[in-house]
Structure formats: structure tokens, C-alpha cells
Amino acid sequence: MRVLITGITGFAGSHLADYILKNHPEAEIFGFKRWRSRDENIIHILDKVEFHDADIKDFTAVNRFIGEIKPEKIFHLAAQSFVPASWKSPMETLDTNIAGQVNLFEAVRQHGLADKTVIQIACSSEEYGLVHEDEVPIKETNPLRPLSPYAVSKITQDFLGYQYHESYGIKAIRTRTFNHTGPRRGEVFVISTFSKQIALIENDLIDPVMKVGNLDAQRDFTDVRDVVRAYWIATEKCTPGEVYNIASGTAHTIQSVLDKLLAMSNKEIKVVQDPERMRPSDVQILLGDASKFSKQTGWKPEISFDQTLEDTLNYWRKKIAAII
Ligand code: A2R
Ligand code: GDD
């Protein structure tokens, strides 16, 4: 079985490759990256995956490699994934995420693979945006009220999945994943930035001051290793054209996440709000109902949140120790 992962150099993509290598040795894995991509997350699998340099915005490259690989499964993870960056450069996010999706679908369609290749699309809980208190836990039927250009880009990816399925029979499976975290998570995301700052403080590399943004927001976190398992199962058991939430079903305030991380360190750390980290409109609560996905696939998360936090903090401790 030929399996293509776009965004394989990223957080979820690299964990997905690890999951497939371990659990589905029958799969031949192909990865799209950019010639300038960092190889930090894939250094351990360079000889186990066939990599191709394909910027997802470049139809010529995407079309050529889809034609050569003829994948039976595609996990489409490549994207501009950081919400605040989408306010700073909205067009970059919209272009990468939307044009990338269209390029992939058009290549699959033009190579006659529409009814053959199963494509998992990494949509996002961020699409729900403004959620009222009586709407949690959020079901797939909840209205979408996006609060960032990133959310708009993900809604578009999501609806392109629906539309290409209806128009051409493309076997798109739309997964709306709530927050996920763990080792290798980009340093700008909340649990990574908190963990990195703790590791820097523990090594006396910065003053014992933790910079934070909005601590009142609530997020539903799942370990990335449970999420990539869900992506694989989605391509085996879900219905093309349909949309599925992937979530743990528990929300944590960011304040409580910070408190847990601080309790894992012996250092006295002062917390200060950094205005740069505040968003024009933050999503206040994301708490997902993944019962549609769980009923159809039997999936449930297995790794506890405390374990995920500990693993993430230790990942950053190791990373900082390696550079001093
Ligand atoms: O930055 P790079 O070159 O290492 O590659 C990133 C890739 N990517 C692209 N690949 C090809 N052409 C592009 N124009 C392009 N722009 C970005 O997407 C990297 O491999 C991946 C994003 O990884 P992370 O930022 O670590 O995101 P994460 O958490 O793995 O998210 C995966 C998916 C995304 O669609 C999110 O929007 C969704 O899950 O939550
Ligand atoms: N990044 C960051 N840095 N966020 C902070 C900070 C900080 O210092 N302090 C508080 N926060 C709050 C943010 O305001 C937000 O409410 C929450 O922590 C989570 O922020 P992020 O980790 O940046 O993630 P996100 O929720 O914006 O988006 C992530 O989850 C989406 C799924 O809902 C990303 O992984 C997206 O790609 C993904 O689609």
C-alpha cells in the first residue's frame, strides 16, 4: 500500500510516519516536503520514507508526484498551522491552506484517482470559533463562526472536501481535530512555549519569568500519538465526504495547564502577560464531542493529559540540554 503524507516534516506528520512504520509495515511511505524544510523531526526516518520536494502551492510539483506515486491513501497535513501568524500575514495562510488543498484534489482528479485514493484532510476545531456556553461539548453540526483567517482557511479546506466529494466523488475524509500536543510540537504553541521557557529557566538561560498570553481560554487537548492513530483509523473506517470531530472530551483552562507545568519544576517562576501574545479575537472555549468518530471507529484516546505534559516538558529539557 502506497501512503503519502503532506507536511511530514511537521509535528503531526512526523508522528504519523512513526505510527505507520511501527504498526503498518506493509505500507510504503512517501512524504512531501519543501527543499528548505527543517529535517529535525524526520532525521530518524530519512532512510525509511521516500521524500519528494513539493511545495503544496506549486501545482506542477504536486501534480507530477501524485502521478508518479499514485498513492492509495493521502494524509493532507501540510498547512500554515499557527493561528496568530494568520493575522500577521492572512494571504500567506489562505494561499497555502486553500490553494494547497485545491492543487492536491486537482492532481488526484486529473490522474484518474478520484474514486481510488482516500484523502484525510486535517481540518480544525478552530473552525467552530465563537462557541456559546450551551453549545459544548461541540458536535459536528454546530455553526461555524470563525475568529481568525486561519479558521476561515480551514473551513474552506473542509468545504472543498465536501464539494469535491459531491462533484467528483473524491474520497475526502474531513477530520476536525481539537488541540493536540506532545514532543516535537512547534515552539510557538502554548504548551511548547511554556515548556521551553521552563527548560530555559531551569538552565539559568533566561530570567525566571514566564511570558504568557490569554490564560482564560479553554482547550480540549489530545496527545498527538492518539491523534495520528485516529487519522489512520479514519482512512480505514470513515465515510468519504463526512466530517468527524477528534477530541478527548475534556477542556482545560490555559491557566490550569500552566499551573500543572509550573508544578513539575523546582524553580520559582513569575508569570507575566505579554501583550504580543494576546490575539485580536481568541476562541474562548473548545470542548469537543467525538462520539460520531468513536462510534464509527472504536477510537478513544489512551494517553493521559498529565503524561503528555510530562513528555513535552522532558522533550524541551532534553532539547535545551543538548544545545548548552
Ligand atoms: O515548514 P516545513 O517546510 O517544514 O513544512 C510544513 C508544511 N508546510 C508546507 N509543505 C509544503 N508546502 C507548503 N507551502 C507548506 N507550508 C507548510 O506543513 C510542515 O511539514 C507542516 C506543518 O507542520 P506544523 O506547523 O508542525 O503543524 P501540525 O501541528 O503538524 O499540523 C498538521 C495539520 C495542519 O493542517 C494544521 O492546520 C492541522 O493539522 O491542525
Ligand atoms: N501560542 C500561545 N502562546 N498561546 C497562548 C499563550 C502563549 O504564550 N498563552 C496563552 N495562550 C492561549 C491562546 O490564546 C489560545 O487560547 C490557547 O492558548 C492555545 O493556543 P495555541 O497553542 O497557539 O493553539 P490554538 O488553539 O490557537 O491552535 C491549535 O489548535 C488548533 C485546533 O483547535 C493549532 O494546533 C492549530 O493548528 C489547530 O488547528
Side-chain angles (χ1 to χ4, degrees), residues 6-14 32-38 41 54-58 76-82 92 96-97 121-124 150 154 157 177-178 180 184-186 189 231:
T6 75
I8 193 166
T9 58
F11 166 59
S14 63
F32 278 2
K33 64 179 196 59
R34 294 186 275 187
W35 65 265
R36 60 185 181 281
S37 295
R38 285 176 311 131
N41 292 339
D55 190 310
I56 204 75
K57 290 193 273 192
D58 177 1
H76 179 40
L77 306 178
Q80 193 303 98
S81 66
F82 186 46
E92 209 273 320
T96 302
N97 298 3
I121 309 167
C123 307
S124 168
Y150 171 79
K154 286 285 153 181
Q157 281 193 249
T177 310
F178 286 64
H180 40 301
R184 299 189 204 147
R185 180 54 147 160
F189 296 89
Y231 289 166

Side-chain angles (χ1 to χ4, degrees), residues 1-19:
M1 176 187 299
R2 290 179 308 283
V3 173
L4 170 65
I5 303 174
T6 75
I8 193 166
T9 58
F11 166 59
S14 63
H15 280 284
L16 177 61
D18 289 349
Y19 169 81

